[in-house]
Amino acid sequence: METAICPNTPKCPIFNGILEGTQYTSTYKRLYCEAGKAGREKCMRYKVATAVGKCPPKVLPNSTKSMEEIISDMRAAGEI
Ligand code: SF4
């Protein structure tokens, strides 16, 4: 059965409120984290983490950077 909540929530800074205080946190949760498979599959954090096993904390679900750019940046920074 499909899980409504993203499986990455335990470690995700968006879901865990590290970004709390920003006006977007609850919107992100509604649109991505708690919106089932279709929701998280639109999330850039989820896509990057699925591809390489982790995602930099500053990447937002609706990042304007492409997945390839983010992964390239991670490689350049020695994070992967
Ligand atoms: S921001 Fe993305 S990766 Fe993080 S919990 Fe929400 S859907 Fe999952």
Side-chain angles (χ1 to χ4, degrees):
M1 198 178 112
E2 184 190 327
T3 309
I5 307 288
C6 174
N8 294 352
T9 53
K11 292 184 178 174
C12 185
I14 300 293
F15 195 85
N16 288 313
I18 291 172
L19 295 180
E20 206 155 9
T22 72
Q23 61 185 306
Y24 302 112
T25 302
S26 60
T27 304
Y28 286 144
K29 284 188 181 183
R30 181 169 49 81
L31 292 179
Y32 302 99
C33 319
E34 300 173 341
K37 190 168 181 277
R40 60 185 171 265
E41 286 185 347
K42 287 186 284 185
C43 172
M44 187 57 75
R45 295 193 56 78
Y46 184 81
K47 289 184 203 177
V48 171
T50 299
V52 296
K54 57 184 176 177
C55 182
K58 287 182 179 170
V59 173
L60 294 174
N62 60 344
S63 171
T64 52
K65 280 190 174 180
S66 71
M67 185 168 80
E68 291 73 22
E69 286 175 305
I70 294 166
I71 292 172
S72 171
D73 289 349
M74 290 170 79
R75 286 211 175 93
E79 293 172 2
I80 51 173

